[in-house]
Amino acid sequence: MNSALLKRLSAISQHPVLALLGVLILIKAYTTLSWRYEMDTPLLQYIAFLIDKFHYVPYRDIFETSMPGTFLFHYLIVHFLGYGDLAFQWVNLVVLTLLMLVTYRFMRRFGQIIGLWSVALFCLIYLAEGQTMYLQKDYIGLIPISVAFLCIPFDFKTATTPLRFALVGLMYGIALIIKPHLIITLPIVFATLLAFRQQSETLSWQNFLSAASITFAGLLVPLSIVLLWLYQHEALITFLDMFSQYLPLHTAMTGDHVTISGLSRISYLLTSTVRFSVYGPLLLSALLGYFQFLMHKQLTQNKALLLFLGCLALSTLAYGIYPTLAGKFWRYHYLPFAYFCSISTALCLLPMAQLQDTKFIYYCKKLLISLFMLVAVSLHGQLPAFLAVLGSDLFHGKESHIPKNGRVDDIISWLKPRLNPGDLVQPLDWTGGAIHAMLFSEAQLATRYIYDYYFYHHLSNPFIQGLRQAFICQMTQLRPRFIIDVPGEDKPWVSGVDTTREFPELRDFIAKNYKPAHQGNNYIIYEII
């Protein structure tokens, strides 16, 4: 066996808590292969299925708020691997592995063990979140952002070439077309690269403008490709309409889908921002990690490490307020924040580099610090959640991950055998399971409206009124064979000023042209008369 590998295994064996956590993470990763995806994932996979099989074009043929990069990611999965749960879970593990490899690479500047703890802590948090959080767009965007962090040099001997600025711009450009808010840390990484460059040459306005231009050019490459593709497929105008006219209305609602404005909205944004979801205790442990670094003169004298620490700390803070930009504060919006908090928490191990005690005292302190790391992530419930989900997987398997309490499977078993080539199906749902069932039934969407929630908020707005009229017009012209209606509380409903739960024109159309064909667990399937 390679001697270098033996040394690494020997080093890891000196950290029993880390080794044990690594084994648990590997077991947990394996059990996810039996999981079934849920929530947002089947929606995006269904759109990718429509693009792949029926050649739908996003925004032109499907009204959706996700960015083109998200559709591309899911299209690649569907096109090359299909839309099955197992294929998706393999992709999930591959993406997690890639992210962790890159993370270890840029965090090992603080030491090999700190790099490994960075990886282990985030794996624990991510795998504990469960199937509704896997491969969310906020998480997918971490891949290019982590590569951008990899562009930051380890020391001042490494030249900060224009290629590094271009690659940073390119990576943030990819993040931009996945979710625009993700580029909030671009100025921080750019400024860090400039600081490294300043150590080798005098920074002038000319050098600054040159670096900024190169970075901006890299940023524009993915965006330009996407916009050109949309233009060629006659979808650019509909994309811009969605982005400029509908998204402001969407972001004006709270995470509970309540329309608010004025002082109420300001109060909601402020109070939600300072809560940091469930990750407040993890932020405290990250701050302790920064404190441990700053307490050691030997470490602070290393200006390269100090610069990277500043970039890491500012990025953690930036992603802490990142959900405020969307105004929703959903749990998966905090995945970038959880990522930076977890890798920053690993810095709590830095005092170990300064230990000069006897071997016994050394290992005792090492064990205590390792146990502290577990306590840090236990404080906000992630370790117990991780162990609970792992136990459920080992003892209950697939039965513990049935989407929507069996509603999805029930719809599939009824719908799929009855579909004929050319049949159209229209869901009246969002995340209630109808679209998930349509995906596995290979049903073709009737209208360009995959969800129905946007028909019920901001009713006085002309754009919403236009959506309602266009929907009824398409329903009248296309007359889908089946309508899957999830009318109850199992899907999100909007509330607040200028909202409703009524759509008289739609209900009249259904009453005149359709009959109930099947009724199940809080859903009705209508069939055309």
Side-chain angles (χ1 to χ4, degrees):
M1 189 179 290
N2 188 289
S3 60
L5 179 59
L6 284 174
K7 287 183 179 179
R8 292 184 179 181
L9 291 175
S10 175
I12 294 172
S13 68
Q14 295 175 17
H15 296 262
V17 178
L18 175 60
L20 175 61
L21 187 58
V23 171
L24 290 175
I25 287 172
L26 290 175
I27 296 173
K28 181 69 184 67
Y30 175 76
T31 64
T32 63
L33 295 176
S34 66
W35 284 25
R36 300 177 63 184
Y37 52 62
E38 198 173 352
M39 196 62 72
D40 289 350
T41 299
L43 311 182
L44 295 168
Q45 290 273 286
Y46 180 63
I47 293 173
F49 163 76
L50 292 175
I51 297 170
D52 186 53
K53 183 172 182 178
F54 298 108
H55 309 295
Y56 280 40
V57 175
Y59 316 113
R60 186 193 72 185
D61 302 321
I62 308 168
F63 186 85
E64 231 283 347
T65 57
S66 296
M67 293 295 105
T70 303
F71 297 139
L72 175 60
F73 176 82
H74 285 274
Y75 170 79
L76 293 174
I77 297 175
V78 169
H79 183 74
F80 291 105
L81 301 174
Y83 50 83
D85 294 295
L86 181 59
F88 183 81
Q89 294 302 345
W90 272 114
V91 171
N92 177 52
L93 293 181
V94 169
V95 170
L96 179 61
T97 301
L98 291 174
L99 177 60
M100 294 301 96
L101 287 174
V102 175
T103 302
Y104 171 77
R105 180 67 180 82
F106 68 71
M107 284 300 291
R108 77 178 178 89
R109 71 185 70 206
F110 296 107
Q112 183 184 41
I113 293 300
I114 290 175
L116 291 173
W117 265 107
S118 300
V119 168
L121 287 174
F122 182 71
C123 281
L124 184 150
I125 290 172
Y126 179 67
L127 292 173
E129 290 290 0
Q131 68 206 73
T132 61
M133 301 286 279
Y134 284 3
L135 292 184
Q136 288 280 1
K137 63 194 79 171
D138 304 79
Y139 168 75
I140 298 170
L142 281 175
I143 299 294
I145 288 172
S146 66
V147 175
F149 269 73
L150 192 58
C151 294
I152 300 174
F154 274 46
D155 51 49
F156 297 127
K157 297 178 182 178
T158 305
T160 310
T161 61
L163 180 61
R164 290 181 181 267
F165 287 98
L167 188 56
V168 165
L170 179 64
M171 291 300 104
Y172 273 96
I174 294 173
L176 174 69
I177 64 172
I178 294 172
K179 189 163 185 178
H181 308 83
L182 286 168
I183 67 169
I184 189 174
T185 55
L186 174 57
I188 299 170
V189 176
F190 175 75
T192 304
L193 277 180
L194 277 181
F196 270 90
R197 187 175 186 177
Q198 188 179 14
Q199 300 300 316
S200 58
E201 60 181 276
T202 303
L203 187 63
S204 64
W205 277 107
Q206 184 178 1
N207 290 337
F208 171 80
L209 292 176
S210 173
S213 299
I214 293 171
T215 305
F216 186 65
L219 181 76
L220 286 181
V221 170
L223 182 61
S224 300
I225 292 173
V226 162
L227 294 179
L228 180 60
W229 186 89
L230 291 174
Y231 175 77
Q232 290 177 335
H233 290 80
E234 300 178 349
L236 181 59
I237 299 300
T238 50
F239 168 74
L240 295 176
D241 283 344
M242 179 281 296
F243 194 85
S244 63
Q245 298 191 57
Y246 179 73
L247 267 185
L249 303 178
H250 179 69
T251 56
M253 294 187 291
T254 70
D256 295 323
H257 319 294
V258 180
T259 58
I260 55 173
S261 60
L263 292 177
S264 297
R265 177 165 177 77
I266 295 174
S267 174
Y268 161 73
L269 292 176
L270 290 176
T271 55
S272 299
T273 298
V274 298
R275 289 173 185 163
F276 297 108
S277 186
V278 299
Y279 297 111
L282 193 61
L283 173 61
L284 294 178
S285 60
L287 293 175
L288 180 59
Y290 303 142
F291 177 77
Q292 293 284 9
F293 181 97
L294 296 174
M295 284 296 98
H296 294 282
K297 292 182 179 179
Q298 182 179 349
L299 296 176
T300 55
Q301 288 174 355
N302 187 328
K303 291 184 179 180
L305 277 183
L306 193 60
L307 276 175
F308 186 82
L309 181 81
C311 182
L312 195 62
L314 289 175
S315 297
T316 303
L317 176 62
Y319 284 118
I321 62 175
Y322 156 85
T324 310
L325 301 177
K328 291 292 184 290
F329 304 98
W330 291 330
R331 183 104 165 221
Y332 63 79
H333 289 165
Y334 283 92
L335 283 175
F337 178 63
Y339 170 77
F340 279 95
C341 278
S342 59
I343 64 177
S344 298
T345 295
L347 297 176
C348 293
L349 291 170
L350 281 170
M352 290 174 52
Q354 309 297 315
L355 292 176
Q356 301 295 330
D357 298 307
T358 64
K359 193 171 184 179
F360 175 75
I361 300 293
Y362 174 79
Y363 285 125
C364 286
K365 287 186 176 182
K366 184 181 292 186
L367 180 62
L368 288 175
I369 294 174
S370 297
L371 289 174
F372 165 77
M373 304 293 279
L374 294 184
V375 171
V377 295
S378 296
L379 285 175
H380 70 293
Q382 289 302 300
L383 181 59
F386 176 89
L387 295 175
V389 175
L390 177 58
S392 179
D393 288 344
L394 293 176
F395 291 105
H396 301 288
K398 291 184 178 181
E399 297 301 316
S400 60
H401 299 286
I402 298 176
K404 302 300 175 184
N405 298 316
R407 182 187 305 128
V408 173
D409 293 335
D410 189 21
I411 296 175
I412 294 170
S413 63
W414 188 92
L415 180 65
K416 190 171 183 177
R418 291 170 173 80
L419 281 177
N420 299 316
D423 284 345
L424 301 177
V425 182
Q426 179 61 44
L428 300 177
D429 188 22
W430 185 5
T431 56
I435 300 165
H436 193 163
M438 288 175 63
L439 169 63
F440 281 84
S441 300
E442 299 189 356
Q444 184 176 357
L445 179 68
T447 70
R448 65 187 292 257
Y449 303 100
I450 189 172
Y451 322 128
D452 68 339
Y453 74 92
Y454 29 61
F455 300 136
Y456 299 99
H457 67 90
H458 293 95
L459 294 178
S460 61
N461 187 278
F463 188 78
I464 298 297
Q465 294 172 1
L467 292 183
R468 287 167 69 105
Q469 293 171 5
F471 178 58
I472 293 299
C473 181
Q474 281 196 294
M475 289 288 283
T476 303
Q477 291 177 351
L478 297 171
R479 297 172 64 85
R481 182 182 172 192
F482 295 111
I483 297 175
I484 307 175
D485 188 8
V486 183
E489 298 298 330
D490 283 348
K491 71 174 181 181
W493 279 102
V494 296
S495 59
V497 178
D498 206 19
T499 66
T500 185
R501 291 194 179 188
E502 305 297 328
F503 197 159
E505 296 87 348
L506 175 60
R507 293 301 158 185
D508 288 345
F509 173 78
I510 294 175
K512 291 177 181 178
N513 299 281
Y514 289 83
K515 62 180 180 181
H518 177 70
Q519 188 165 354
N521 176 22
N522 200 19
Y523 73 90
I524 302 172
I525 299 179
Y526 296 96
E527 185 173 8
I528 195 165
I529 300 173

